[in-house]
Amino acid sequence: MESIELAKQKFGELIAEEYQRIERMKADNEVKDFSKMEKIVVGILPGDGIGPIIMEQAIRVLKTLMEEEIASGHIVLRPIEGMTIENRAARLQSLPDEVFEEIRQCDVLLKGPMVTPRAGDPWPNLVSANSLLRRGLELFAAVRPIRIPEKNIDWTFFRENIEGEYIWGNKGIQVNEDLAVDFKVQTKQGSERIARAAFEFARKNGKKNVTIVTKANIVKLADGNFIKAVRKVGEEYPEIEIQERLVDAMCAKMLDPEFNKGIEVIVLPNLYGDIVTDVAAEHQGGLGTASSSNLGNKYAMFEAIHGTAPYLISHGRGEYADPCSLIRAVGMLLAHIGYGDRKKKLDEALDICTITERRVVLTTMPEDASTKEFTDYVIETLEKM
């Protein structure tokens, strides 16, 4: 019985912390207006593994697109050190305090992939730095576009970025040696703000559909309440149709034209969003082709959706990694701060380089183009446009 009482006590403490977070969400209403800012600081977090390699090339593309703005001081690129796995492990902090303070002095972040240690890794079993950044900066919306033109697919995913199974991911309760309990957290405020972001995007971009993906037939409360929250917000957008799909069917049948008919904007809880967007990225051409933006009211972070590619590093092929995911993240960053025309130009250049012309081929193999050679091709294409 003592183990049950200790579990009840811990659960009560978690609930109390969540009440405090809900109050912070209610007070977080001020949205940063980049059009009124004289200086926009872009923090650069290279990451681990292939991160520094692809970041170097992504920065070259960023400097090409924003040469005048950087020269004038309107855009400031600020490298931030201290987020390597070596430093985080030495400090036993996934997000060292002094590094987080540097990050908070920036307006937007461009981030490479970072190691999240697992049992058996040669690192302390630290919690995810990505999750801490998202929570610490209140980056509640992970926005991931997926385009597969030959399948007539042009989707934008809005993944709730803080709650679900992730927010208490390291706070489960080991009741006794036989019983462990983890949690899934859903709040009205968290669900409504991701829904509003999805509907606002749909309205501003002429989309006529928002599709909700859950497992509400099994996860009755958390997923059921998520659907209710999205539909409630949707009442303010009567021109936009709302559909529902189950997450397992979405993964299995997303390329089926009958199943995906009408889908344009997709809103999902955290874990499902993580899984479904990775599956969609593989259909698009691999995780190396997809990028993600993590948006809040005050801060935003743009990143590749893939990991650190330890296999490429261990086999001496890091210099042949595909930089497209992080280069596309540069485009999303520029659109977010008011330069949608530059994102459009970059998207067109990448389509030329990866689909229509494809004069330089990158396969991550040494007999084909290196990361730098491919980026040279992208920059050459941009300069011709």
Side-chain angles (χ1 to χ4, degrees), residues 51 54-55 58 110-112 290 302-304 323-330:
I54 61 175
M55 180 64 78
L110 184 65
K111 187 184 81 64
F302 302 85
E303 62 181 340
C324 282
S325 183
L326 200 56
I327 290 174
R328 290 188 187 279
V330 166

Side-chain angles (χ1 to χ4, degrees), residues 28 31 138-144 156-162 188-207 209-212 226 229-237 239-240 264-268 293-300 332 336:
D28 182 26
V31 180
E138 278 297 314
L139 306 177
F140 60 83
V143 185
R144 296 182 175 180
T156 304
F157 290 89
F158 280 75
R159 167 193 172 191
E160 200 289 318
N161 213 19
I162 292 177
K188 172 186 172 184
Q189 290 75 19
S191 300
E192 287 185 357
R193 68 182 180 181
I194 188 65
R196 192 169 305 282
F199 281 105
E200 280 294 310
F201 174 87
R203 175 173 283 176
K204 290 176 181 177
N205 290 275
K207 307 295 184 181
N209 168 273
V210 167
T211 298
I212 313 167
F226 185 86
V230 175
R231 287 194 170 277
K232 178 183 176 183
V233 173
E235 293 173 2
E236 302 172 30
Y237 303 82
E239 77 278 16
I240 297 174
E264 294 180 314
V265 178
I266 302 161
V267 61
L268 321 84
S293 57
N294 301 269
L295 309 181
N297 290 337
K298 186 175 181 181
Y299 298 99
M332 297 178 77
H336 183 72

Side-chain angles (χ1 to χ4, degrees), residues 136-183:
L137 300 175
E138 278 297 314
L139 306 177
F140 60 83
V143 185
R144 296 182 175 180
I146 295 292
R147 291 176 61 242
I148 311 174
E150 65 272 20
K151 297 287 187 180
N152 198 32
I153 286 174
D154 185 0
W155 296 338
T156 304
F157 290 89
F158 280 75
R159 167 193 172 191
E160 200 289 318
N161 213 19
I162 292 177
E163 300 185 348
E165 293 82 355
Y166 288 65
I167 191 165
W168 291 356
N170 63 331
K171 297 179 180 179
I173 299 174
Q174 187 75 45
V175 181
N176 57 30
E177 63 179 12
D178 298 318
L179 177 63
V181 180
D182 280 313
F183 300 100

Side-chain angles (χ1 to χ4, degrees), residues 260-274:
N260 69 33
K261 187 176 181 180
I263 292 178
E264 294 180 314
V265 178
I266 302 161
V267 61
L268 321 84
N270 203 340
L271 178 61
Y272 309 146
D274 193 0

